[in-house]
Amino acid sequence: MDNSTHFSTIILAGYIDIGNFKYLCFIVLILLFVAIIVSNQLIIGIICKEKSLHEPMYVFLCSLSVNELYGSIALFPSLLSNMLLSKIPEVSLTLCHIQIFALYTYASVEFCNLAVMSYDRYVAICYPLEYHRIISPAMTVTLIALGWSVSVIKFSINFSVSVRLKLCGNVMDKVWCDNYMLVKLACSDTTANNISGIIGTILIIVSPLALILFSYAKILSVCLKSTREMTQKALSTCTSHLISLLNFSVGCLFEVIQSRFDKVPMPPVLRVILSLYFPICTPLINPIMYGMRLSKIKKQLRSLGVPNGAC
């Protein structure tokens, strides 16, 4: 017989008592949330409205921005409301499950989008004359739909195993609900979770990573055989994507380190910052960076009256 108890709530013990500074943090987070919403909506609106941007590269970017909004909406409302509570925040198990599902599918879709964008750059640089035949409108829609559907279906299967777990505790040392931490609270057998987690890792991390490495290996091979001018032009089209990929990968690495290796000595404030890096910095940096790097989007932003310093 196990020691499981029926818990209807999860206590998020990752919040730190910072006194009245919480109001300053609350204002900063609201400003960040507004900046993420506005900047990503600008990117989506410009791409949808301007016919000259109805090209695969910009459609993939639009999908990326939609996902940024999805992830931010899954995080910020609960983060802001929990921050204002005087005691340790306690959320319902149902809302915790919803947030886990949203944030994990957001991360999965983000990685799939970045993989598709790397393949798009590979075709554009290595097969420029055949680009529109290979990355046709139908192929563009198929790649986007595949990334979203595989991510949602995969994690739905994985998560269906997690929600059935019997919990021996309800205290999670995080500021947002995390599936890995939820599994750690279980006192029932987690073998099925481990197996589904391994399969999910192969599908959502190994496969996109293989496509990214293949794409950039081919791009590098072409650049080494091309003139200096051609190489610079090719690399300039990949800079935004590489920065986006690096930023997201670093954020995910931070999350893995602070979640999986909880015995690593780390100040509580730093642990919170690392936990929030990938769901906040990626949606904030991506639209600003693409607005600065892509000339067509930059031109449209200027036409809307956005100052040069902002784009």
Side-chain angles (χ1 to χ4, degrees):
M1 184 173 180
D2 58 32
N3 297 318
S4 62
T5 305
H6 177 69
F7 292 105
S8 60
T9 61
I10 294 292
I11 298 173
L12 298 175
Y15 288 88
I16 305 168
D17 185 8
I18 54 177
N20 290 331
F21 279 106
K22 68 180 180 180
Y23 298 108
L24 176 61
C25 293
F26 181 81
I27 293 172
V28 171
L29 285 173
I30 283 183
L31 293 176
L32 288 174
F33 187 36
V34 171
I36 289 171
I37 296 296
V38 172
S39 58
N40 280 285
Q41 282 187 335
L42 268 175
I43 295 293
I44 295 169
I46 287 171
I47 293 174
C48 292
K49 181 179 178 181
E50 184 59 38
K51 291 185 178 180
S52 64
L53 298 180
H54 293 177
E55 300 175 6
M57 179 176 71
Y58 297 104
V59 176
F60 294 138
L61 176 56
C62 185
S63 174
L64 193 71
S65 289
V66 169
N67 190 49
E68 312 290 18
L69 292 176
Y70 169 59
S72 298
I73 292 172
L75 172 73
F76 275 94
S78 64
L79 187 66
L80 290 168
S81 61
N82 291 336
M83 181 168 290
L84 287 181
L85 296 177
S86 57
K87 297 181 180 180
I88 297 176
E90 190 172 9
V91 299
S92 71
L93 187 59
T94 300
L95 288 178
C96 194
H97 285 159
I98 292 173
Q99 186 175 59
I100 288 173
F101 182 85
L103 287 177
Y104 271 72
T105 51
Y106 152 73
S108 178
V109 170
E110 188 82 0
F111 203 26
C112 288
N113 271 330
L114 291 171
V116 167
M117 292 172 78
S118 70
Y119 176 72
D120 173 73
R121 291 301 84 206
Y122 153 66
V123 176
I125 293 170
C126 299
Y127 301 97
L129 299 179
E130 300 181 65
Y131 176 76
H132 291 290
R133 181 184 64 82
I134 299 174
I135 310 295
S136 63
M139 177 58 72
T140 301
V141 173
T142 299
L143 290 173
I144 292 174
L146 190 63
W148 280 83
S149 59
V150 168
S151 298
V152 171
I153 293 172
K154 171 263 163 189
F155 191 71
S156 296
I157 296 172
N158 190 11
F159 194 53
S160 66
V161 181
S162 298
V163 295
R164 293 191 180 96
L165 292 174
K166 295 180 180 180
L167 303 180
C168 288
N170 70 330
V171 179
M172 191 178 292
D173 191 21
K174 297 275 288 189
V175 293
W176 50 271
C177 291
D178 178 42
N179 189 56
Y180 177 77
M181 302 292 283
L182 185 68
V183 173
K184 287 180 66 176
L185 293 174
C187 49
S188 53
D189 184 25
T190 59
T191 303
N193 297 81
N194 296 330
I195 294 175
S196 63
I198 293 173
I199 296 174
T201 300
I202 294 174
L203 288 175
I204 300 303
I205 296 181
V206 177
S207 299
L209 183 60
L211 180 58
I212 292 170
L213 293 176
F214 168 81
S215 299
Y216 276 103
K218 291 294 185 180
I219 290 172
L220 181 61
S221 176
V222 169
C223 289
L224 291 175
K225 298 175 184 178
S226 304
T227 63
R228 185 176 180 179
E229 183 181 352
M230 289 286 291
T231 299
Q232 289 178 341
K233 184 178 180 181
L235 292 178
S236 68
T237 65
C238 299
T239 303
S240 299
H241 179 266
L242 284 171
I243 295 174
S244 180
L245 178 62
L246 181 62
N247 180 52
F248 180 69
S249 299
V250 168
C252 289
L253 181 62
F254 284 164
E255 173 58 24
V256 169
I257 291 174
Q258 69 92 27
S259 290
R260 272 62 174 178
F261 304 99
D262 52 2
K263 293 183 180 181
V264 176
M266 190 181 302
V269 175
L270 179 59
R271 188 174 292 277
V272 172
I273 292 173
L274 295 183
S275 178
L276 292 174
Y277 184 92
F278 96 89
I280 290 182
C281 290
T282 301
L284 180 65
I285 292 175
N286 280 352
I288 296 174
M289 178 190 60
Y290 282 108
M292 291 173 59
R293 298 289 308 177
L294 299 180
S295 58
K296 288 186 178 181
I297 291 182
K298 192 173 183 179
K299 180 180 177 181
Q300 292 300 318
L301 287 171
R302 285 175 176 171
S303 69
L304 293 174
V306 178
N308 290 338
C311 62

